[in-house]
Amino acid sequence: KLAGKGMFCDYLAKKYQAKTVRFSQILDDILNTLYLPKSRNNEIALVLALREKFGKDVLAYVIKKDIEKNPDELIVVDGIRYPEEVNILKTLPKFFIVYITAPLELRYDRAIRRKEKDDENSMSFEEFKQQEEAPTEVFIALLGQHADYKIENTEDLSAYHKHIDAFYKEFSKR
């Protein structure tokens, strides 16, 4: 959360014409349809309900089907959070995991500044820290341990772009 996944996707889309697919977009679309705020808490509640009712891999299944219909060479999936999602998506050709991370304090500062979610601008650091323990967050570090490529996003934007370019160079070899 707020390590720079969105910026990673945006940069690849602009510079390398990547197509981006976000897990949270499905959730945000449902929340918008229900006229509910796009808050992190609502997204967590919704994904847990969907996983319980329709299976732990329901969102990954939808994303995989969408990717299979897409002719683009480079498709970036933003927001994988569970091992079941990896199991579904790794059946796609040329699939691999990029783990982007940053220290908690830096990610909190980014949340307060970006205000993408309805609850981000009023969230205390303690509340932000508690969200790290949400069921949607607990497997991220574990997935990161098995990533094919890792980026520690702690520097300025220019340095981050160099990391992304290095990733792309590695990807294009495969």
Side-chain angles (χ1 to χ4, degrees):
K1 161 172 84 173
L2 294 151
K5 297 181 310 291
M7 291 177 71
F8 178 86
C9 294
D10 291 346
Y11 183 78
L12 286 173
K14 288 177 187 161
K15 187 164 183 181
Y16 300 108
Q17 292 71 53
K19 167 84 169 116
T20 300
V21 180
R22 293 175 48 234
F23 271 82
S24 64
Q25 187 60 54
I26 297 168
L27 304 174
D28 291 347
D29 289 347
I30 294 169
L31 291 171
N32 285 336
T33 299
L34 298 173
Y35 297 99
L36 293 170
K38 280 191 327 183
S39 69
R40 204 164 292 288
N41 288 333
N42 283 351
E43 286 180 342
I44 291 168
L46 180 56
V47 75
L48 293 177
L50 289 169
R51 286 171 52 87
E52 182 179 324
K53 184 68 178 170
F54 299 108
K56 293 182 177 184
D57 58 2
V58 64
L59 295 182
Y61 179 79
V62 170
I63 285 175
K64 180 182 178 200
K65 290 296 183 187
D66 287 347
I67 289 171
E68 288 173 337
K69 293 189 283 185
N70 193 310
D72 291 318
E73 174 69 20
L74 177 60
I75 301 174
V76 184
V77 178
D78 177 352
I80 298 171
R81 285 180 155 61
Y82 296 101
E84 298 86 2
E85 294 168 348
V86 171
N87 292 339
I88 290 287
L89 296 175
K90 74 180 179 184
T91 63
L92 293 166
K94 293 188 178 184
F95 173 81
F96 55 97
I97 297 174
V98 178
Y99 180 58
I100 303 167
T101 188
L104 185 66
E105 294 82 7
L106 181 56
R107 292 184 290 119
Y108 173 71
D109 183 57
R110 291 173 180 165
I112 296 302
R113 284 187 284 137
R114 92 171 173 178
K115 300 175 185 171
E116 180 180 290
K117 307 291 181 203
D118 290 341
D119 56 352
E120 285 180 344
N121 60 342
S122 62
M123 187 182 309
S124 72
F125 180 71
E126 286 304 313
E127 291 169 322
F128 185 81
K129 203 159 96 172
Q130 281 181 322
Q131 284 187 348
E132 292 290 300
E133 298 167 20
T136 56
E137 307 301 309
V138 295
F139 291 107
I140 294 173
L142 176 66
L143 295 176
Q145 292 173 8
H146 302 287
D148 302 292
Y149 198 90
K150 298 178 185 180
I151 298 174
E152 178 94 13
N153 181 16
T154 58
E155 302 169 80
D156 65 15
L157 193 56
S158 174
Y160 188 44
H161 287 169
K162 288 179 185 173
H163 288 296
I164 299 170
D165 290 331
F167 155 76
Y168 182 77
K169 185 176 179 183
E170 178 74 23
F171 167 81
S172 61
K173 291 179 189 175
R174 294 182 181 200

